[in-house]
Amino acid sequence: MELERVLTKLKFDESVDGYALITTDGHPFLSFSLPDDVLPLIKGTLKIHAEDLRLVNILTDKGIVILSRVDPKWVLAVLFAPDFQLGGALSRTKAVVDLLMKVDLPPPPISIEVEDEPIVIEDEPRTEPDLEEFVEAVEPIESASSLETEIVPEKVLLPEPEILPPSEPVAEEPEEEVVVQHRCVVHRSARYNETMSLGSELNTQIKKEFSNLGVDILLIVDEKMTVYNIAEHLSRPVEKTIAIVSWCVSRNILHVECPEVQQPSQKEIIELPLFEGNIDKVKKKHRSIIELCNGKRTLQEIATEVGIPYFEALQSILPYRGKTLKIIHTDKSSRF
């Protein structure tokens, strides 16, 4: 079972106001609508119950927060609406945690911990110096007049400078700019581990630029997914994901492998959503999108036709994907 499919159960639960996967030391990742003022309470609770935490509830002015350990490295935090019952909150969190235990979760970011080793200076035994060793015979110094001598400067012959022909300026080859596209496969690069280290300069920069979304993208990079796949897994706009990946590529955090421009003889595979369920069971806010999922249009074309952003169209089909909605892969040139 995939991580994003499990978390979808919380995202579309009307009783859930926010959630996040949190490291044992209290750093949130893959966070969704979790208020910032709740995080200090979660950190404090984790600090107290880190070793024996199994299922803990925290009462806040935003609602009930349930903390449940998924494995030794990850804790799930779920914020429920203020009027939701504690028993229901505990059971729903437990159900999601049971599913997360079946998922191969990524390792948490590396925490930088520098411990200065104490410098020990051993005192050597001090002994009193022997005065007789320092006594020297003092001879009378001759008068200054007897020391005056004529100093004749010595001529130094310097080699004649070698005249070199003017060198031609070397033209530097400009670095090829990588254009990140939605079809590019994303790989980790040399500074990936540095960026994932908490407290590093790059880790601070990416959080300042893109909040937790930048780190969330780095967490799920498995060197197999394309930019489009990453955006779909995190339910984020493709354009935003491209911008973050481009930022990382320019800093040697990631690199991408993009397919070459296809020749006319090559096939271009596209994805067409097809709904095969009962339209009456679809939520009203999703029907305008689902009705057009007939296996003849791409999701981008459907979003354009309805007049909504691609991200909103993607959210409309996620609850039905794998159940009553499937994705057809076909050659672009053969669908008409």
Side-chain angles (χ1 to χ4, degrees):
M1 184 172 291
E2 297 178 352
L3 174 60
E4 69 277 0
R5 183 172 296 180
V6 175
L7 295 180
T8 299
K9 296 181 179 296
L10 294 173
K11 182 176 294 186
F12 295 102
D13 189 335
E14 295 180 354
S15 64
V16 175
D17 287 346
Y19 62 85
L21 270 179
I22 298 179
T23 60
T24 302
D25 51 358
H27 293 278
F29 295 97
L30 297 179
S31 177
F32 181 79
S33 299
L34 195 65
D36 292 337
D37 54 354
V38 174
L39 291 177
L41 298 174
I42 295 176
K43 278 190 175 183
T45 304
L46 287 175
K47 189 174 182 180
I48 297 172
H49 301 282
E51 296 182 359
D52 57 349
L53 186 142
R54 290 293 178 270
L55 201 62
V56 176
N57 66 288
I58 307 173
L59 298 179
T60 72
D61 56 352
K62 297 292 192 301
I64 303 174
V65 177
I66 305 297
L67 300 181
S68 181
R69 182 168 297 284
V70 180
D71 61 22
K73 299 178 181 179
W74 291 106
V75 174
L76 178 66
V78 185
L79 172 64
F80 289 89
D83 56 348
F84 198 66
Q85 298 296 322
L86 176 60
L90 292 171
S91 62
R92 294 193 183 189
T93 304
K94 182 67 168 57
V96 174
V97 169
D98 290 342
L99 295 175
L100 285 175
M101 290 181 176
K102 302 176 184 178
V103 176
D104 187 14
L105 295 175
I110 304 169
S111 178
I112 298 179
E113 294 181 1
V114 179
E115 295 184 0
D116 297 330
E117 296 184 359
I119 301 175
V120 179
I121 301 177
E122 297 182 358
D123 294 333
E124 297 181 356
R126 300 180 62 183
T127 58
E128 293 296 330
D130 188 357
L131 295 178
E132 294 182 358
E133 295 180 1
F134 296 94
V135 176
E136 297 180 355
V138 180
E139 297 181 356
I141 300 176
E142 298 180 1
S143 61
S145 59
S146 64
L147 297 177
E148 292 181 359
T149 57
E150 184 180 358
I151 300 175
V152 179
E154 184 179 345
K155 294 183 179 180
V156 179
L157 297 178
L158 298 176
E160 294 183 0
E162 183 181 357
I163 301 176
L164 299 176
S167 59
E168 297 181 359
V170 179
E172 296 183 359
E173 296 183 1
E175 295 183 0
E176 184 179 355
E177 183 179 355
V178 178
V179 178
V180 179
Q181 301 174 347
H182 69 280
R183 296 179 297 173
C184 297
V185 179
V186 184
H187 298 268
R188 300 175 182 181
S189 202
R191 305 187 73 184
Y192 176 86
N193 288 336
E194 178 186 350
T195 309
M196 295 301 289
S197 300
L198 298 176
S200 67
E201 183 178 351
L202 281 175
N203 184 267
T204 303
Q205 287 181 8
I206 196 171
K207 287 181 179 178
K208 183 178 179 181
E209 290 286 337
F210 309 108
S211 188
N212 281 336
L213 178 57
V215 179
D216 291 347
I217 288 176
L218 295 182
L219 269 173
I220 66 171
V221 169
D222 59 357
E223 312 209 350
K224 297 178 182 178
M225 289 192 292
T226 63
V227 175
Y228 175 84
N229 296 143
I230 292 174
E232 187 178 21
H233 283 206
L234 293 175
S235 299
R236 294 294 187 268
V238 177
E239 296 78 10
K240 182 68 174 178
T241 306
I242 289 176
I244 296 175
V245 173
S246 300
W247 186 90
C248 292
V249 168
S250 68
R251 287 157 177 80
N252 202 22
I253 301 168
L254 300 173
H255 67 274
V256 292
E257 181 182 351
C258 301
E260 298 180 357
V261 178
Q262 295 178 329
Q263 301 297 327
S265 59
Q266 292 179 312
K267 293 182 179 180
E268 182 180 353
I269 304 301
I270 58 175
E271 297 180 342
L272 307 174
L274 174 63
F275 180 73
E276 298 178 319
N278 186 351
I279 194 67
D280 294 331
K281 295 183 179 181
V282 176
K283 292 183 179 180
K284 291 183 179 179
K285 62 180 180 179
H286 298 155
R287 287 187 184 179
S288 60
I289 298 297
I290 298 298
E291 287 175 344
L292 298 178
C293 294
N294 56 5
K296 297 180 180 180
R297 304 176 179 86
T298 65
L299 187 59
Q300 182 63 64
E301 291 171 343
I302 293 174
T304 303
E305 184 173 339
V306 178
I308 62 174
Y310 173 86
F311 174 57
E312 188 175 333
L314 178 62
Q315 284 187 315
S316 299
I317 71 169
L318 282 178
Y320 314 98
R321 187 170 178 177
K323 301 174 184 177
T324 54
L325 186 143
K326 64 181 181 180
I327 302 297
I328 300 173
H329 297 82
T330 186
D331 179 13
K332 182 178 181 180
S333 61
S334 64
R335 64 168 172 156
F336 297 110

PDB file of all heavy atoms in Angstrom, residues 37-63:
ATOM      1  N   ASP A  37       0.885  26.811  15.881  1.00  0.00           N
ATOM      2  CA  ASP A  37       0.877  26.960  17.333  1.00  0.00           C
ATOM      3  C   ASP A  37       0.599  25.648  18.063  1.00  0.00           C
ATOM      4  O   ASP A  37       0.675  25.584  19.294  1.00  0.00           O
ATOM      5  CB  ASP A  37      -0.147  28.021  17.752  1.00  0.00           C
ATOM      6  CG  ASP A  37      -1.537  27.736  17.196  1.00  0.00           C
ATOM      7  OD1 ASP A  37      -1.665  26.796  16.398  1.00  0.00           O
ATOM      8  OD2 ASP A  37      -2.483  28.456  17.550  1.00  0.00           O
ATOM      9  N   VAL A  38       0.271  24.578  17.320  1.00  0.00           N
ATOM     10  CA  VAL A  38       0.064  23.269  17.938  1.00  0.00           C
ATOM     11  C   VAL A  38       1.387  22.513  18.070  1.00  0.00           C
ATOM     12  O   VAL A  38       1.543  21.650  18.933  1.00  0.00           O
ATOM     13  CB  VAL A  38      -0.959  22.453  17.111  1.00  0.00           C
ATOM     14  CG1 VAL A  38      -1.089  21.026  17.637  1.00  0.00           C
ATOM     15  CG2 VAL A  38      -2.325  23.136  17.154  1.00  0.00           C
ATOM     16  N   LEU A  39       2.352  22.856  17.204  1.00  0.00           N
ATOM     17  CA  LEU A  39       3.617  22.119  17.166  1.00  0.00           C
ATOM     18  C   LEU A  39       4.384  22.151  18.493  1.00  0.00           C
ATOM     19  O   LEU A  39       4.933  21.124  18.913  1.00  0.00           O
ATOM     20  CB  LEU A  39       4.498  22.643  16.035  1.00  0.00           C
ATOM     21  CG  LEU A  39       3.995  22.331  14.621  1.00  0.00           C
ATOM     22  CD1 LEU A  39       4.902  22.972  13.585  1.00  0.00           C
ATOM     23  CD2 LEU A  39       3.918  20.825  14.407  1.00  0.00           C
ATOM     24  N   PRO A  40       4.474  23.309  19.193  1.00  0.00           N
ATOM     25  CA  PRO A  40       5.188  23.284  20.482  1.00  0.00           C
ATOM     26  C   PRO A  40       4.590  22.319  21.499  1.00  0.00           C
ATOM     27  O   PRO A  40       5.316  21.686  22.264  1.00  0.00           O
ATOM     28  CB  PRO A  40       5.078  24.736  20.966  1.00  0.00           C
ATOM     29  CG  PRO A  40       4.889  25.542  19.714  1.00  0.00           C
ATOM     30  CD  PRO A  40       4.078  24.684  18.812  1.00  0.00           C
ATOM     31  N   LEU A  41       3.256  22.195  21.504  1.00  0.00           N
ATOM     32  CA  LEU A  41       2.614  21.240  22.414  1.00  0.00           C
ATOM     33  C   LEU A  41       2.978  19.812  22.043  1.00  0.00           C
ATOM     34  O   LEU A  41       3.224  18.966  22.917  1.00  0.00           O
ATOM     35  CB  LEU A  41       1.088  21.426  22.370  1.00  0.00           C
ATOM     36  CG  LEU A  41       0.556  22.795  22.832  1.00  0.00           C
ATOM     37  CD1 LEU A  41      -0.942  22.872  22.599  1.00  0.00           C
ATOM     38  CD2 LEU A  41       0.870  23.004  24.309  1.00  0.00           C
ATOM     39  N   ILE A  42       3.019  19.536  20.725  1.00  0.00           N
ATOM     40  CA  ILE A  42       3.384  18.193  20.273  1.00  0.00           C
ATOM     41  C   ILE A  42       4.834  17.882  20.636  1.00  0.00           C
ATOM     42  O   ILE A  42       5.159  16.801  21.123  1.00  0.00           O
ATOM     43  CB  ILE A  42       3.154  18.076  18.756  1.00  0.00           C
ATOM     44  CG1 ILE A  42       1.654  18.200  18.430  1.00  0.00           C
ATOM     45  CG2 ILE A  42       3.708  16.769  18.222  1.00  0.00           C
ATOM     46  CD1 ILE A  42       1.341  18.181  16.958  1.00  0.00           C
ATOM     47  N   LYS A  43       5.736  18.867  20.421  1.00  0.00           N
ATOM     48  CA  LYS A  43       7.147  18.658  20.745  1.00  0.00           C
ATOM     49  C   LYS A  43       7.337  18.371  22.234  1.00  0.00           C
ATOM     50  O   LYS A  43       8.100  17.483  22.625  1.00  0.00           O
ATOM     51  CB  LYS A  43       7.964  19.887  20.346  1.00  0.00           C
ATOM     52  CG  LYS A  43       8.336  19.932  18.883  1.00  0.00           C
ATOM     53  CD  LYS A  43       9.345  21.043  18.624  1.00  0.00           C
ATOM     54  CE  LYS A  43       9.823  21.020  17.187  1.00  0.00           C
ATOM     55  NZ  LYS A  43      10.855  22.052  16.936  1.00  0.00           N
ATOM     56  N   GLY A  44       6.628  19.150  23.071  1.00  0.00           N
ATOM     57  CA  GLY A  44       6.752  18.945  24.507  1.00  0.00           C
ATOM     58  C   GLY A  44       6.267  17.569  24.936  1.00  0.00           C
ATOM     59  O   GLY A  44       6.878  16.916  25.777  1.00  0.00           O
ATOM     60  N   THR A  45       5.156  17.126  24.341  1.00  0.00           N
ATOM     61  CA  THR A  45       4.622  15.807  24.672  1.00  0.00           C
ATOM     62  C   THR A  45       5.572  14.702  24.241  1.00  0.00           C
ATOM     63  O   THR A  45       5.798  13.729  24.968  1.00  0.00           O
ATOM     64  CB  THR A  45       3.251  15.610  24.002  1.00  0.00           C
ATOM     65  OG1 THR A  45       2.376  16.677  24.405  1.00  0.00           O
ATOM     66  CG2 THR A  45       2.633  14.287  24.407  1.00  0.00           C
ATOM     67  N   LEU A  46       6.155  14.849  23.026  1.00  0.00           N
ATOM     68  CA  LEU A  46       7.101  13.843  22.545  1.00  0.00           C
ATOM     69  C   LEU A  46       8.341  13.781  23.432  1.00  0.00           C
ATOM     70  O   LEU A  46       8.908  12.712  23.657  1.00  0.00           O
ATOM     71  CB  LEU A  46       7.508  14.164  21.100  1.00  0.00           C
ATOM     72  CG  LEU A  46       6.445  13.905  20.033  1.00  0.00           C
ATOM     73  CD1 LEU A  46       6.928  14.390  18.673  1.00  0.00           C
ATOM     74  CD2 LEU A  46       6.111  12.423  19.965  1.00  0.00           C
ATOM     75  N   LYS A  47       8.753  14.939  23.941  1.00  0.00           N
ATOM     76  CA  LYS A  47       9.942  14.967  24.799  1.00  0.00           C
ATOM     77  C   LYS A  47       9.686  14.205  26.096  1.00  0.00           C
ATOM     78  O   LYS A  47      10.586  13.546  26.636  1.00  0.00           O
ATOM     79  CB  LYS A  47      10.308  16.419  25.096  1.00  0.00           C
ATOM     80  CG  LYS A  47      11.641  16.582  25.802  1.00  0.00           C
ATOM     81  CD  LYS A  47      12.019  18.049  25.927  1.00  0.00           C
ATOM     82  CE  LYS A  47      13.379  18.216  26.585  1.00  0.00           C
ATOM     83  NZ  LYS A  47      13.754  19.649  26.709  1.00  0.00           N
ATOM     84  N   ILE A  48       8.456  14.293  26.596  1.00  0.00           N
ATOM     85  CA  ILE A  48       8.120  13.632  27.861  1.00  0.00           C
ATOM     86  C   ILE A  48       7.874  12.143  27.651  1.00  0.00           C
ATOM     87  O   ILE A  48       8.327  11.297  28.423  1.00  0.00           O
ATOM     88  CB  ILE A  48       6.885  14.295  28.493  1.00  0.00           C
ATOM     89  CG1 ILE A  48       7.194  15.770  28.836  1.00  0.00           C
ATOM     90  CG2 ILE A  48       6.436  13.538  29.734  1.00  0.00           C
ATOM     91  CD1 ILE A  48       5.989  16.550  29.288  1.00  0.00           C
ATOM     92  N   HIS A  49       7.131  11.809  26.569  1.00  0.00           N
ATOM     93  CA  HIS A  49       6.692  10.426  26.361  1.00  0.00           C
ATOM     94  C   HIS A  49       7.422   9.741  25.209  1.00  0.00           C
ATOM     95  O   HIS A  49       6.886   8.799  24.613  1.00  0.00           O
ATOM     96  CB  HIS A  49       5.181  10.391  26.080  1.00  0.00           C
ATOM     97  CG  HIS A  49       4.345  10.982  27.171  1.00  0.00           C
ATOM     98  ND1 HIS A  49       4.054  10.320  28.343  1.00  0.00           N
ATOM     99  CD2 HIS A  49       3.742  12.205  27.278  1.00  0.00           C
ATOM    100  CE1 HIS A  49       3.295  11.088  29.122  1.00  0.00           C
ATOM    101  NE2 HIS A  49       3.097  12.244  28.495  1.00  0.00           N
ATOM    102  N   ALA A  50       8.623  10.198  24.855  1.00  0.00           N
ATOM    103  CA  ALA A  50       9.304   9.683  23.666  1.00  0.00           C
ATOM    104  C   ALA A  50       9.514   8.171  23.738  1.00  0.00           C
ATOM    105  O   ALA A  50       9.306   7.461  22.750  1.00  0.00           O
ATOM    106  CB  ALA A  50      10.648  10.394  23.477  1.00  0.00           C
ATOM    107  N   GLU A  51       9.899   7.667  24.901  1.00  0.00           N
ATOM    108  CA  GLU A  51      10.255   6.254  24.999  1.00  0.00           C
ATOM    109  C   GLU A  51       9.034   5.341  25.045  1.00  0.00           C
ATOM    110  O   GLU A  51       9.036   4.263  24.463  1.00  0.00           O
ATOM    111  CB  GLU A  51      11.130   6.033  26.235  1.00  0.00           C
ATOM    112  CG  GLU A  51      12.482   6.765  26.160  1.00  0.00           C
ATOM    113  CD  GLU A  51      13.336   6.480  27.378  1.00  0.00           C
ATOM    114  OE1 GLU A  51      12.849   5.730  28.273  1.00  0.00           O
ATOM    115  OE2 GLU A  51      14.471   6.981  27.435  1.00  0.00           O
ATOM    116  N   ASP A  52       7.977   5.760  25.760  1.00  0.00           N
ATOM    117  CA  ASP A  52       6.840   4.871  25.952  1.00  0.00           C
ATOM    118  C   ASP A  52       5.593   5.336  25.216  1.00  0.00           C
ATOM    119  O   ASP A  52       4.489   4.866  25.501  1.00  0.00           O
ATOM    120  CB  ASP A  52       6.543   4.737  27.456  1.00  0.00           C
ATOM    121  CG  ASP A  52       6.273   6.102  28.109  1.00  0.00           C
ATOM    122  OD1 ASP A  52       6.522   7.124  27.449  1.00  0.00           O
ATOM    123  OD2 ASP A  52       5.823   6.111  29.271  1.00  0.00           O
ATOM    124  N   LEU A  53       5.745   6.247  24.242  1.00  0.00           N
ATOM    125  CA  LEU A  53       4.561   6.770  23.549  1.00  0.00           C
ATOM    126  C   LEU A  53       3.938   5.692  22.664  1.00  0.00           C
ATOM    127  O   LEU A  53       4.621   5.063  21.851  1.00  0.00           O
ATOM    128  CB  LEU A  53       4.958   7.982  22.699  1.00  0.00           C
ATOM    129  CG  LEU A  53       3.775   8.710  22.024  1.00  0.00           C
ATOM    130  CD1 LEU A  53       4.005  10.205  22.033  1.00  0.00           C
ATOM    131  CD2 LEU A  53       3.578   8.235  20.587  1.00  0.00           C
ATOM    132  N   ARG A  54       2.651   5.485  22.837  1.00  0.00           N
ATOM    133  CA  ARG A  54       1.899   4.581  21.970  1.00  0.00           C
ATOM    134  C   ARG A  54       0.697   5.312  21.368  1.00  0.00           C
ATOM    135  O   ARG A  54       0.559   5.420  20.169  1.00  0.00           O
ATOM    136  CB  ARG A  54       1.429   3.351  22.776  1.00  0.00           C
ATOM    137  CG  ARG A  54       2.551   2.415  23.172  1.00  0.00           C
ATOM    138  CD  ARG A  54       3.180   1.742  21.975  1.00  0.00           C
ATOM    139  NE  ARG A  54       4.292   0.872  22.368  1.00  0.00           N
ATOM    140  CZ  ARG A  54       5.544   1.257  22.457  1.00  0.00           C
ATOM    141  NH1 ARG A  54       5.856   2.530  22.217  1.00  0.00           N
ATOM    142  NH2 ARG A  54       6.496   0.418  22.791  1.00  0.00           N
ATOM    143  N   LEU A  55      -0.174   5.815  22.249  1.00  0.00           N
ATOM    144  CA  LEU A  55      -1.361   6.540  21.803  1.00  0.00           C
ATOM    145  C   LEU A  55      -1.669   7.597  22.860  1.00  0.00           C
ATOM    146  O   LEU A  55      -2.038   7.259  23.986  1.00  0.00           O
ATOM    147  CB  LEU A  55      -2.544   5.583  21.629  1.00  0.00           C
ATOM    148  CG  LEU A  55      -3.696   6.030  20.722  1.00  0.00           C
ATOM    149  CD1 LEU A  55      -3.202   6.243  19.301  1.00  0.00           C
ATOM    150  CD2 LEU A  55      -4.821   5.009  20.726  1.00  0.00           C
ATOM    151  N   VAL A  56      -1.479   8.880  22.513  1.00  0.00           N
ATOM    152  CA  VAL A  56      -1.627   9.980  23.473  1.00  0.00           C
ATOM    153  C   VAL A  56      -2.528  11.046  22.857  1.00  0.00           C
ATOM    154  O   VAL A  56      -2.454  11.315  21.655  1.00  0.00           O
ATOM    155  CB  VAL A  56      -0.245  10.591  23.819  1.00  0.00           C
ATOM    156  CG1 VAL A  56      -0.406  11.800  24.735  1.00  0.00           C
ATOM    157  CG2 VAL A  56       0.643   9.548  24.474  1.00  0.00           C
ATOM    158  N   ASN A  57      -3.390  11.658  23.687  1.00  0.00           N
ATOM    159  CA  ASN A  57      -4.222  12.751  23.208  1.00  0.00           C
ATOM    160  C   ASN A  57      -3.809  14.053  23.898  1.00  0.00           C
ATOM    161  O   ASN A  57      -3.430  14.065  25.066  1.00  0.00           O
ATOM    162  CB  ASN A  57      -5.703  12.471  23.440  1.00  0.00           C
ATOM    163  CG  ASN A  57      -6.053  12.428  24.919  1.00  0.00           C
ATOM    164  OD1 ASN A  57      -5.699  11.485  25.601  1.00  0.00           O
ATOM    165  ND2 ASN A  57      -6.764  13.435  25.401  1.00  0.00           N
ATOM    166  N   ILE A  58      -3.867  15.168  23.135  1.00  0.00           N
ATOM    167  CA  ILE A  58      -3.536  16.496  23.646  1.00  0.00           C
ATOM    168  C   ILE A  58      -4.744  17.401  23.412  1.00  0.00           C
ATOM    169  O   ILE A  58      -5.240  17.489  22.281  1.00  0.00           O
ATOM    170  CB  ILE A  58      -2.308  17.082  22.926  1.00  0.00           C
ATOM    171  CG1 ILE A  58      -1.133  16.107  22.965  1.00  0.00           C
ATOM    172  CG2 ILE A  58      -1.902  18.407  23.544  1.00  0.00           C
ATOM    173  CD1 ILE A  58       0.042  16.557  22.118  1.00  0.00           C
ATOM    174  N   LEU A  59      -5.203  18.068  24.439  1.00  0.00           N
ATOM    175  CA  LEU A  59      -6.323  18.993  24.315  1.00  0.00           C
ATOM    176  C   LEU A  59      -5.782  20.381  24.002  1.00  0.00           C
ATOM    177  O   LEU A  59      -4.985  20.933  24.770  1.00  0.00           O
ATOM    178  CB  LEU A  59      -7.149  19.009  25.600  1.00  0.00           C
ATOM    179  CG  LEU A  59      -7.816  17.690  25.991  1.00  0.00           C
ATOM    180  CD1 LEU A  59      -8.578  17.841  27.310  1.00  0.00           C
ATOM    181  CD2 LEU A  59      -8.761  17.209  24.889  1.00  0.00           C
ATOM    182  N   THR A  60      -6.191  20.958  22.871  1.00  0.00           N
ATOM    183  CA  THR A  60      -5.769  22.302  22.475  1.00  0.00           C
ATOM    184  C   THR A  60      -6.996  23.140  22.146  1.00  0.00           C
ATOM    185  O   THR A  60      -8.117  22.612  22.050  1.00  0.00           O
ATOM    186  CB  THR A  60      -4.846  22.247  21.235  1.00  0.00           C
ATOM    187  OG1 THR A  60      -5.642  21.904  20.084  1.00  0.00           O
ATOM    188  CG2 THR A  60      -3.756  21.206  21.398  1.00  0.00           C
ATOM    189  N   ASP A  61      -6.790  24.440  21.957  1.00  0.00           N
ATOM    190  CA  ASP A  61      -7.916  25.300  21.609  1.00  0.00           C
ATOM    191  C   ASP A  61      -8.351  25.101  20.161  1.00  0.00           C
ATOM    192  O   ASP A  61      -9.395  25.592  19.748  1.00  0.00           O
ATOM    193  CB  ASP A  61      -7.556  26.774  21.845  1.00  0.00           C
ATOM    194  CG  ASP A  61      -6.306  27.174  21.089  1.00  0.00           C
ATOM    195  OD1 ASP A  61      -5.641  26.277  20.519  1.00  0.00           O
ATOM    196  OD2 ASP A  61      -5.977  28.374  21.077  1.00  0.00           O
ATOM    197  N   LYS A  62      -7.534  24.355  19.396  1.00  0.00           N
ATOM    198  CA  LYS A  62      -7.893  24.052  18.003  1.00  0.00           C
ATOM    199  C   LYS A  62      -8.646  22.735  17.888  1.00  0.00           C
ATOM    200  O   LYS A  62      -9.218  22.424  16.837  1.00  0.00           O
ATOM    201  CB  LYS A  62      -6.627  23.980  17.142  1.00  0.00           C
ATOM    202  CG  LYS A  62      -5.835  25.276  17.054  1.00  0.00           C
ATOM    203  CD  LYS A  62      -6.588  26.338  16.283  1.00  0.00           C
ATOM    204  CE  LYS A  62      -5.688  27.516  15.943  1.00  0.00           C
ATOM    205  NZ  LYS A  62      -5.103  28.180  17.122  1.00  0.00           N
ATOM    206  N   GLY A  63      -8.628  21.933  18.947  1.00  0.00           N
ATOM    207  CA  GLY A  63      -9.268  20.626  18.923  1.00  0.00           C
ATOM    208  C   GLY A  63      -8.402  19.582  19.600  1.00  0.00           C
ATOM    209  O   GLY A  63      -7.421  19.899  20.287  1.00  0.00           O
TER     210      GLY A  63
END
